[in-house]
Amino acid sequence: MRIARFVTDAEPSYGLVTGEPGEEIITQLVGDPFYQGIQQVPGEEATHKLEDVRLVAPIIPRSKVIGVGKNYADHAEEMGGEAPVSPLLFLVPNTAVSGPNEPVTLPSFSEEVSYEAELAVVIGRICKDVPVERVPEVVFGYTVANDVTARDAQRTDGQWARAKGFDGSTPLGPWIETELDPEDLTVIGQLNGETVQDGTTADMIFGVPELIAYISQAFTLLPGDVILTGTPAGVGRLSAGDRFDAEIEGIGTLTNHFRN
């Protein structure tokens, strides 16, 4: 199932997206599916053509976004470092989250902002110390992320909070796919229509089960928490006026434009 958040003329609502590309419809759900399950609002007025609504970020984490750095060997190499021996974690505030087709303002403190297309995992239930074999029980679904990074701040700050946590720096979308095998998915990044990243989640150093088991040893994970699983090689600089499309097989494409 594809679970999105959308706006017509009121507050954002969750919705169930169905139909083939170009013919999708979205049906409003009752309340919050993380706590109330998937219940469709009855009546024709609850269903819209997807093109007639505005999608927003499919989840605003109530608690946290957890990023994983250098989780592809080719990306670690292009960044001038070795692959980590254990997952390299960082935290991102929920104010960094933005949605599909939302403009992202490049931070004034940076002159070197780059894109990172990656798979994001959305947690579906409270959990702690999750065994690898039970990870599927705690995953709500998967979405597409762009881990926008101020590289110069990342190099000089030591901590990555400012470099990866500035407002709008974590676009998510277009929806959450709840039925997906994350083991071997194509990850594509396109800058202004040109393919700049072309990888697969099969090349992740630490797969989704290992990441969630490791992360949950340190943090209690709550429904709606998001884990960014890393990006393949090919990262590069963004400029005002650029468009970046992050596409993941089985989910869809997340598009954002960038401005000063």
Side-chain angles (χ1 to χ4, degrees):
M1 291 184 292
R2 293 173 288 176
I3 306 298
R5 285 173 70 243
F6 71 100
V7 173
T8 51
D9 55 2
E11 292 296 313
S13 300
Y14 284 97
L16 176 65
V17 179
T18 57
E20 297 300 316
E23 300 179 354
E24 297 106 325
I25 61 172
I26 187 166
T27 303
Q28 185 177 347
L29 297 178
V30 176
D32 186 333
F34 287 86
Y35 295 95
Q36 296 173 260
I38 309 298
Q39 306 176 62
Q40 298 184 43
V41 173
E44 293 184 0
E45 67 276 5
T47 298
H48 311 270
K49 291 182 179 179
L50 190 63
E51 62 190 32
D52 293 337
V53 306
R54 179 170 66 89
L55 294 181
V56 295
I59 184 69
I60 301 293
R62 297 171 177 82
S63 172
K64 53 193 170 293
V65 178
I66 303 165
V68 181
K70 299 181 180 180
N71 197 30
Y72 288 74
D74 56 359
H75 173 58
E77 182 179 355
E78 76 175 349
M79 297 302 293
E82 297 182 355
V85 297
S86 59
L88 176 61
L89 306 181
F90 58 91
L91 293 174
V92 175
N94 62 8
T95 49
V97 173
S98 55
N101 298 308
E102 290 185 20
V104 176
T105 300
L106 299 172
S108 59
F109 60 79
S110 175
E111 297 181 355
E112 189 183 346
V113 179
S114 65
Y115 51 80
E116 293 188 6
E118 48 196 270
L119 176 71
V121 186
V122 183
I123 298 299
R125 53 179 285 191
I126 187 170
C127 57
K128 181 79 166 79
D129 294 320
V130 183
V132 168
E133 64 273 14
R134 298 193 63 182
V135 162
E137 300 175 25
V138 307
V139 173
F140 182 84
Y142 301 87
T143 190
V144 185
N146 185 0
D147 179 21
V148 182
T149 304
R151 293 289 177 211
D152 41 6
Q154 185 181 28
R155 287 192 297 267
T156 59
D157 287 5
Q159 298 289 336
W160 293 1
R162 188 170 68 126
K164 288 180 172 285
F166 59 87
D167 288 352
S169 63
T170 309
L172 299 175
W175 41 63
I176 300 168
E177 173 57 67
T178 64
E179 300 172 8
L180 191 69
D181 181 350
E183 293 303 311
D184 187 9
L185 303 174
T186 301
V187 181
I188 301 291
Q190 291 189 320
L191 180 63
N192 300 323
E194 178 184 353
T195 298
V196 288
Q197 292 186 281
D198 187 353
T200 169
T201 58
D203 290 335
M204 291 196 298
I205 299 169
F206 307 101
V208 169
E210 292 78 16
L211 289 176
I212 293 179
Y214 182 86
I215 290 167
S216 68
Q217 291 175 355
F219 309 116
T220 297
L221 297 174
L222 304 181
D225 280 356
V226 174
I227 297 171
L228 311 178
T229 61
T231 194
V235 300
R237 184 176 296 191
L238 290 163
S239 300
D242 283 345
R243 165 180 169 153
F244 189 77
D245 301 294
E247 179 182 357
I248 295 184
E249 179 184 1
I251 304 176
T253 301
L254 169 68
T255 298
N256 294 94
H257 293 81
F258 295 82
R259 65 187 182 186
N260 288 325

